[in-house]
């Protein structure tokens, strides 16, 4: 059955129906990850986005009952080049196409995803629609439907993916700490990473109050990843300021990095096409260490590498940036115990270079209300740009950003 992908600028790609029949509307974005499609599809940060896979073959390992990052598929539509005809993996319980159909996710297969990605890189992420079955009509009508759909800039989406009721993820083994985690789109692997470090995580709805947080007597506060424009997150930003006032150790990732930044008085902006993949380099300026990270964000924090700035809570610093395009990838408050990163240290899917950030959160909680981001020692070798001022550099020649499929 024929299907079409329609972009808001009028570009149309024709292919075959994949998954459910009907129509799906969202922002067309691409991810460069060659593995982890199940984690991608179930990541709440992809809510109301039509995801384009740059990897040509998708579905080879089917679908299992362990790798979902939330209870259901979150994307608004799915675009692939060459879907697997049958899956082959010992953990697979069903086919990807069947799950897409069961959950009403409209997809399209067989299009030239290389041409589509080049278009999005040149023109930027934009609104789109996937149409199949009886929803395919005249091209001019389809384009108008897409242009009438909501834009991502100004989109308030975290409330659509947050938990409705608090729940607890217990520590693995002996409990060492209690952490209150604000669910603005949390991935399932994040509490698991904390549980492995003796943390009991209380996952709270996005509209939770400071009184509800304090009732837990937490050792730390966690700001999760999530979808939408951080400029709409007034409630989480206000709560974050109340956490900072009380000097509760705070750690944020992705959307949480943007929430902390706005609580500190920094602005955020929309990227041309964002960072989405599992091979994106990040430099930590204090150590010169380069981590290869998993990322999924279309908005970013204003700032420059190593910049220090004043906030209502004292000084703060830009701690991490992406060498591909200079995008801010992390920040830390210097007078209150709080830090955050723009990438995903829980790495589901992705490399584990940044897993030590959870250990730094533990160290911050051990310090209590003391300040200062605990830093990791330089790793040495090719991933260390500069161990200390005046030390011999092991920096390799800069790679072309196109090598990574990311950057400006």
């Amino acid at each position: 059955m024929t299907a079409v992908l329609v972009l808001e600028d009028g570009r149309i790609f024709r292919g075959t129906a994949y998954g459910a029949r009907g129509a799906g509307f969202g922002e067309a974005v691409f991810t460069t990850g060659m593995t982890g499609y199940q984690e991608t599809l179930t990541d709440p940060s992809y809510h109301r986005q039509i995801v384009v896979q740059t990897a040509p073959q998708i579905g080879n390992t089917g679908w299992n009952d362990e790798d979902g990052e939330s209870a259901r598929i979150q994307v608004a539509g799915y675009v692939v080049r060459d879907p697997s005809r049958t899956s082959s993996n010992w953990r697979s319980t069903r086919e990807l196409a069947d799950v897409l159909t069961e959950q009403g996710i409209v997809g399209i297969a067989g299009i030239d995803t290389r041409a589509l990605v080049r278009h999005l890189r040149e023109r930027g992420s934009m609104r789109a629609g996937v149409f199949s079955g009886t929803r395919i009509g005249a091209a001019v009508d389809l384009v108008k439907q897409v242009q009438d759909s909501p834009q991502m800039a100004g989109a308030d989406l975290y409330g659509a993916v947050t938990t409705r009721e608090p729940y607890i993820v217990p520590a693995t083994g002996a409990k060492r700490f209690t952490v209150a985690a604000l669910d603005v789109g949390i991935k399932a692997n994040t509490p698991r990473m904390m549980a492995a470090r003796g943390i009991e995580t209380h996952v709270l709805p996005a509209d939770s109050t400071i009184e509800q947080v304090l009732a837990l007597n937490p050792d730390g506060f966690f700001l999760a990843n999530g979808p939408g424009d951080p400029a709409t997150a007034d409630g989480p930003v206000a709560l974050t300021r109340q956490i900072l006032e009380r000097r509760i150790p705070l750690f944020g990732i992705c959307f949480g990095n943007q929430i902390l930044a706005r609580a500190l008085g920094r602005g955020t902006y929309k990227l041309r096409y964002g960072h989405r993949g599992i091979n994106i380099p990040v430099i930590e300026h204090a150590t010169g260490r380069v981590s290869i990270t998993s990322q999924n964000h279309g908005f970013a924090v204003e700032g420059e590498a190593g910049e220090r700035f004043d906030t209502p809570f004292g000084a703060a610093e830009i701690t991490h940036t992406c060498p591909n395009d200079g995008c801010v990838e992390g920040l830390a408050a210097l007078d209150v115990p709080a830090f955050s990163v723009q990438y995903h240290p829980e790495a589901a899917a992705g490399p584990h270079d940044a897993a030590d950030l959870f250990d730094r959160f533990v160290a911050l909680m051990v310090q209590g209300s003391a300040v200062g981001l605990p830093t990791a020692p330089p790793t040495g070798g090719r991933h260390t740009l500069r161990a200390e001022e005046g030390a011999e550099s092991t920096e390799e020649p800069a790679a072309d950003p196109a090598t990574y499929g990311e950057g400006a």
Side-chain angles (χ1 to χ4, degrees):
M1 179 179 289
T2 300
V4 294
L5 172 69
V6 180
L7 302 181
E8 71 171 284
D9 65 358
R11 184 79 182 267
I12 297 177
F13 294 83
R14 291 174 173 82
T16 58
Y18 184 54
R21 290 358 180 211
F25 298 91
E27 181 185 48
V29 300
F30 63 89
T31 176
T32 61
M34 296 183 68
T35 62
Y37 61 80
Q38 181 169 337
E39 292 93 330
T40 293
L41 286 167
T42 55
D43 180 353
S45 297
Y46 278 116
H47 186 70
R48 204 199 285 174
Q49 292 182 319
I50 295 174
V51 173
V52 181
Q53 294 277 182
T54 63
Q57 292 186 325
I58 296 296
N60 292 342
T61 56
W63 192 272
N64 63 58
D65 296 323
E66 293 82 37
D67 292 344
E69 288 300 310
S70 65
R72 61 165 289 111
I73 294 176
Q74 300 286 347
V75 304
Y78 201 40
V79 184
V80 301
R81 169 64 181 172
D82 183 17
S84 176
R85 296 178 182 178
T86 184
S87 61
S88 178
N89 184 274
W90 66 276
R91 294 197 301 145
S92 177
T93 59
R94 51 204 181 280
E95 301 292 334
L96 171 58
D98 294 338
V99 178
L100 292 170
T101 301
E102 291 166 5
Q103 299 195 25
I105 308 301
V106 182
I108 183 172
I111 73 169
D112 187 347
T113 50
R114 294 172 300 177
L116 173 56
V117 169
R118 181 181 293 273
H119 189 80
L120 295 177
R121 282 178 64 95
E122 292 174 350
R123 304 290 183 88
S125 297
M126 64 183 73
R127 289 171 293 178
V130 183
F131 303 87
S132 62
T134 59
R135 294 300 300 269
I136 298 180
V140 64
D141 178 61
L142 298 181
V143 172
K144 186 177 187 308
Q145 288 185 54
V146 170
Q147 292 174 344
D148 288 342
S149 64
Q151 297 191 50
M152 187 57 66
D156 183 352
L157 300 180
Y158 65 88
V161 299
T162 188
T163 181
R164 300 306 168 195
E165 298 292 336
Y167 63 91
I168 299 173
V169 179
T172 301
K175 172 186 169 182
R176 299 178 61 201
F177 305 100
T178 298
V179 165
L182 192 69
D183 180 12
V184 288
I186 197 167
K187 293 173 65 176
N189 200 47
T190 301
R192 286 196 291 262
M193 294 288 281
M194 290 196 277
R197 290 160 172 80
I199 298 172
E200 178 181 275
T201 305
H202 292 249
V203 183
L204 304 177
D207 60 357
S208 296
T209 65
I210 187 64
E211 290 76 19
Q212 290 170 313
V213 173
L214 296 178
L216 301 174
N217 192 27
D219 300 293
F221 183 76
F222 177 75
L223 287 168
N225 60 287
D229 188 339
T232 68
D234 293 341
V237 168
L239 177 60
T240 299
R241 289 177 177 145
Q242 292 173 315
I243 295 294
L244 295 173
E245 288 170 355
R246 289 160 175 79
R247 304 180 65 87
I248 299 172
L250 183 152
F251 175 35
I253 66 172
C254 201
F255 198 58
N257 179 63
Q258 298 159 9
I259 291 173
L260 175 59
R262 295 189 71 86
L264 294 174
R266 299 297 276 188
T268 52
Y269 64 98
K270 195 175 189 303
L271 295 165
R272 175 184 285 271
Y273 52 82
H275 294 175
R276 297 176 180 89
I278 58 177
N279 60 346
I280 302 164
V282 169
I283 300 172
E284 180 178 27
H285 299 293
T287 62
R289 190 176 77 162
V290 176
S291 297
I292 305 302
T293 68
S294 174
Q295 296 196 20
N296 171 18
H297 65 105
F299 292 84
V301 174
E302 294 175 347
E304 303 292 337
E307 177 188 353
R308 290 199 175 192
F309 56 97
D310 294 326
T311 82
F313 307 96
E317 182 177 26
I318 303 299
T319 57
H320 300 69
T321 54
C322 177
N324 287 349
D325 58 5
C327 181
V328 172
E329 296 287 352
L331 56 90
L334 303 181
D335 296 313
V336 290
F339 73 102
S340 59
V341 294
Q342 188 59 62
Y343 46 98
H344 286 259
E346 87 288 341
H352 297 167
D353 291 25
D356 71 287
L357 288 170
F358 290 101
D359 299 318
R360 299 196 211 183
F361 186 34
V362 168
L364 200 62
M365 289 189 287
V366 169
Q367 295 174 11
S369 61
V371 299
L373 169 62
T375 57
T379 59
R382 68 183 183 89
H383 290 312
T384 301
L385 297 183
R386 188 179 296 106
E388 60 185 39
E389 195 66 34
E392 181 180 355
S393 172
T394 57
E395 181 176 1
E396 292 186 336
D400 183 345
T403 303
Y404 298 100
E406 305 289 343

